[in-house]
Structures are given as C-alpha cells and as structure tokens.
C-alpha cells in the first residue's frame, strides 16, 4: 500500500494483548478505503486528535491492563526503533510523545505503579489455601513474578530454558528454589499454583502436564500466545485478569485522574506540534516540572530543618518565578527550545 501511494508512513506496535498500526495517509479522500482494507473485524479506528491522545495514554500506561504501569514505554521504544516505515510525521510524533509522556509522568504520576504480575499474584493470594508455587520462564516478566510471589511469602520454585537466567535470579531472590528445565514437568504435582511466563511461540504445557497437576491447583497462563494447551481444570489468562484488574486497582485508579486530565490537555498541543512547535506546551510542562522539583526539595529540606514544607515550597516557588521571569516576559527566537529543555524533554539537545 505504501508502494501504491495509499499510505505515506506506518508503524506497527505489538505487545501483550495489543496490536496497533499507526499510519499517515495522503491528503485525499481515500481514508475510508484504507481503513476498511487494514482494520480487522472489531478493530477500533482513531484519527487525528484521538489517535495522538491514545498514543499518549498508551505511553502513560493508561490503556494498559495494569493502569499506570511503565513497562509499555520500553515496548513502544523497541517498536519505534525497529520501524522501517516512519517518515517525518511519525518520527516527530513518537519522539515528541515519548518526551512529553516522560514529563507528564514525572510531574503527575502518583509514583507507585501496579503490574500484571501484581494482579496475578493478588488474585492467587485471595483464593489460595496453599503456598507452594512454580514460575515457568525467567525473562524480565517471569523474574518479577517470582520475586513478587516470594515477597508475598509463598514458597517459590522457578525454572527457565536458559540456565543463565536461573543463576541470575538465584542471586537476586534467594528465597526461590531453582529447578532444571528438564525436570519441572515431573514436579508439577507438588505445587498449589503454576505461573507460565515464557515467551515461546507454542505451548510449553501439554494436556498431559495439566493432568499431572495437583487437584485444585491454580494455573496462571500469562503468555501471549497462550503457553498451555486446552485441558482439564481451570486456567486464568491475561483476558481473565483484565476483568479482575478493575476491582483490584479501583482505588489506585483514582490517583491517576490528574494524569489523565493532563494527558488529554497535552494531546491537543502535541497534535499541533507535529507540524508547528508550540511554545505554550513546553512552557506549561516546564513550569509543572519546576513546581514538582520545588515540592520534592522542600519536603526533603523541611525534615532536616524541622519546619513546615509548605513554607519552603513558597520560598522556592518565588525563586523559580524570579529566575524564569526574563524568559516569560520577553519571548526570544529560541524560547521554544529553551522551554523544551527546561521541561526535560529536550535535555539531550
């Protein structure tokens, strides 16, 4: 479609339970035909401001099952680095979006974040009568799963196809018992839960393996694609956890309201900035970052001096206003770039 001129630019983003295609179309009336040709049944189509807003929400973890998580940023960066179809529009969009999302997160994110691993572990903890669990697969996802379960007090065993991963996790999480990959299937009957966290393209657990599990044991298949074959007994997948996430993270979600509001406001400025750099966007973010830094420093110094942090914050704020006053009062040729650097997005320049 690119060769035929129907699409000018494209970038594909694939993560767990997410398949997205960002495209730039020619300025003609063929948009509907292109969308019909590309969209799978049930796909959601967003354009213009909605598409930019969605990308910001993705980068901020607001579209993730574990809302507010930051793992998605690395996945978007990998997709962008590997993209062969980006042109000047998508290059600018993703570069600016990554920078703006980082600034928004530093200013408005509550600081803590959930994860799919936490949702899975919490789900097992709520309904568990036993405490012996097996984690299969020790990539970044599985290693965090094993450490989290061990931290919750479960007796954790872990295995990985590559021995080096086992040794690395063994040093990091001494509470975990390590199993050789060749022998974990024979030990399935000893566990109250099995967490499949591999990234294999085909299932690593067969029907026979599921039969060998202890009666009543829980199976959490957290792979994408699924890592276990259809078989007897219950199986919890990422789709099942999505339904449980709303209940588990209800209170946490309320702390993300400000971040969501700022993402909606910033998306309009980001859309305009794809073609024209907007001073006001970076000015707002730079001032927000300055206030956040002043608040952090004030709280730290207040503990040392034994005074109210609000007093130091007001003093720090007045200094910041005095320092930034020339830039606010007299816009110059390079003021947009200066505001970008002060916001933290353009520091690499």
């Amino acid at each position: 479609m690119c060769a035929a001129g129907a699409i000018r630019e494209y970038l594909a983003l694939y993560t767990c339970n997410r398949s997205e295609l960002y495209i730039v179309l020619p300025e003609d009336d063929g948009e509907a035909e292109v969308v019909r040709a590309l969209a799978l049944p049930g796909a959601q189509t967003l354009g213009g401001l909605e598409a930019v807003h969605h990308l910001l929400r993705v980068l901020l973890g607001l579209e993730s099952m574990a809302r507010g998580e930051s793992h998605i940023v690395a996945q978007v960066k990998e997709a962008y680095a590997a993209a062969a179809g980006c042109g000047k529009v998508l290059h600018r969009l993703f570069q600016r979006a990554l920078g703006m999302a980082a600034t928004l997160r530093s200013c408005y994110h509550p600081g803590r974040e959930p994860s799919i691993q936490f949702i899975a572990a919490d789900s097992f903890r709520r309904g568990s009568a036993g405490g012996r669990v097996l984690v299969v697969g020790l990539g970044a996802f599985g290693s965090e799963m094993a450490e989290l379960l061990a931290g919750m007090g479960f007796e954790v065993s872990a295995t990985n196809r590559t021995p080096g991963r086992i040794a690395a996790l063994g040093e990091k999480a001494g509470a975990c018992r390590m199993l050789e990959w060749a022998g974990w299937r024979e030990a399935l009957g000893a566990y109250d839960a099995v967490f499949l966290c591999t990234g294999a393209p085909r299932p690593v657990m067969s029907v026979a393996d599921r039969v060998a599990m202890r009666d009543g044991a829980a199976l959490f298949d957290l792979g994408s694609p699924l890592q276990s074959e259809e078989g007897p007994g219950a199986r919890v997948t990422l789709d099942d956890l999505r339904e449980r996430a709303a209940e588990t993270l209800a209170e946490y979600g309320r702390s993300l309201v400000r971040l969501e509001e700022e993402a909606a406001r910033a998306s309009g400025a980001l859309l305009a900035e794809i073609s024209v750099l907007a001073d006001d966007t970076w000015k707002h973010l730079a001032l927000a970052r300055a206030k956040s830094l002043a608040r952090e420093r004030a709280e730290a110094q207040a503990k040392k001096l034994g005074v109210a942090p609000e007093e130091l914050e007001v003093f720090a704020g007045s200094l910041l206003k005095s320092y930034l006053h020339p830039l606010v009062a007299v816009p110059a040729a390079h003021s947009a770039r200066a505001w970008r650097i002060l916001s933290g997005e353009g520091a690499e320049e």
Side-chain angles (χ1 to χ4, degrees):
M1 297 183 78
C2 282
I7 295 175
R8 286 169 50 192
E9 305 175 28
Y10 68 93
L11 181 147
L13 172 63
Y14 301 108
T15 68
C16 294
N17 280 18
R18 179 187 305 280
S19 298
E20 297 183 348
L21 181 63
Y22 293 83
I23 59 176
V24 177
L25 300 174
E27 297 179 0
D28 54 30
D29 297 328
E31 177 178 347
E33 296 180 8
V34 173
V35 170
R36 278 197 300 269
L38 291 173
L40 296 172
Q44 183 182 22
T45 302
L46 303 173
L49 179 60
E50 288 185 327
V52 174
H53 187 202
H54 175 78
L55 176 58
L56 266 184
R57 288 180 57 86
V58 168
L59 286 167
L60 292 169
L62 298 174
E63 292 291 329
S64 300
M65 181 172 66
R67 293 179 68 242
E69 56 89 14
S70 59
H71 292 89
I72 186 66
V73 177
Q75 295 173 315
V76 173
K77 286 182 177 179
E78 289 176 5
Y80 174 57
C86 287
K88 63 179 182 179
V89 175
L90 287 183
H91 276 309
R92 174 168 285 190
L93 171 61
F94 275 81
Q95 289 170 6
R96 296 288 190 263
L98 283 163
M100 186 175 283
T103 304
L104 287 170
R105 185 180 286 275
S106 67
C107 294
Y108 302 112
H109 196 279
R112 62 195 189 282
E113 62 182 69
S115 65
I116 296 173
Q117 294 93 320
F118 172 78
I119 297 171
D122 184 69
S123 179
F124 173 60
R125 179 171 55 179
R126 291 186 182 192
S128 170
R132 299 191 67 192
V133 301
L134 172 65
V135 176
V136 180
L138 294 177
F141 186 96
S143 296
E144 186 174 333
M145 187 80 253
E147 291 181 58
L148 184 59
L149 288 166
M152 288 183 172
F154 293 110
E155 184 180 340
V156 181
S157 296
T159 187
N160 192 70
R161 192 185 302 272
T162 305
R165 291 279 189 180
I166 297 179
L169 184 63
E171 295 177 1
K172 191 173 182 180
C176 295
R177 175 182 172 230
M178 302 302 160
L179 297 179
E180 295 295 331
W181 181 263
W184 68 268
R185 292 178 177 83
E186 287 72 17
L188 283 170
Y191 297 101
D192 301 293
V194 177
F195 292 79
L196 300 179
C197 304
T198 75
R202 291 180 296 276
V204 298
M205 177 177 275
S206 66
V207 175
D209 294 331
R210 295 188 64 172
V211 172
M213 291 178 61
R214 176 184 294 180
D215 289 342
L219 173 59
F220 286 81
D221 190 336
L222 306 180
S224 179
L226 293 176
Q227 303 295 289
S228 60
E229 295 179 348
E230 293 285 351
R235 176 177 64 174
V236 179
T237 67
L238 288 172
D239 288 332
D240 298 322
L241 288 179
R242 184 182 298 278
E243 298 175 3
R244 305 183 189 189
E247 177 183 351
T248 303
L249 303 177
E251 182 177 351
Y252 176 82
R254 286 190 283 272
S255 66
L256 297 174
V257 171
R258 180 65 186 279
L259 183 64
E260 292 186 316
E261 292 174 347
E262 291 298 328
R265 189 204 63 77
S267 59
L270 180 56
L271 178 63
E273 194 178 336
I274 293 174
S275 55
V276 179
L277 204 62
D279 288 13
D280 289 343
T281 303
W282 302 112
K283 183 186 298 184
H284 179 87
L285 290 173
L287 292 174
R289 184 188 185 211
K291 291 179 182 178
S292 177
L293 290 172
R295 189 180 307 112
E296 292 177 6
R297 301 293 172 84
E299 291 176 354
Q301 291 298 318
K303 293 179 181 179
K304 296 179 181 179
L305 301 175
V307 299
E310 292 78 12
E311 296 178 8
L312 292 180
E313 187 176 341
V314 171
F315 178 65
S318 65
L319 290 177
L320 284 169
K321 288 180 180 178
S322 299
Y323 177 73
L324 295 175
H325 178 73
L327 191 59
V328 175
V330 187
H334 299 289
S335 60
R337 182 168 179 266
W339 283 118
R340 276 188 62 209
I341 293 173
L342 289 172
S343 74
E345 195 274 345
E348 73 281 359
E349 298 181 1

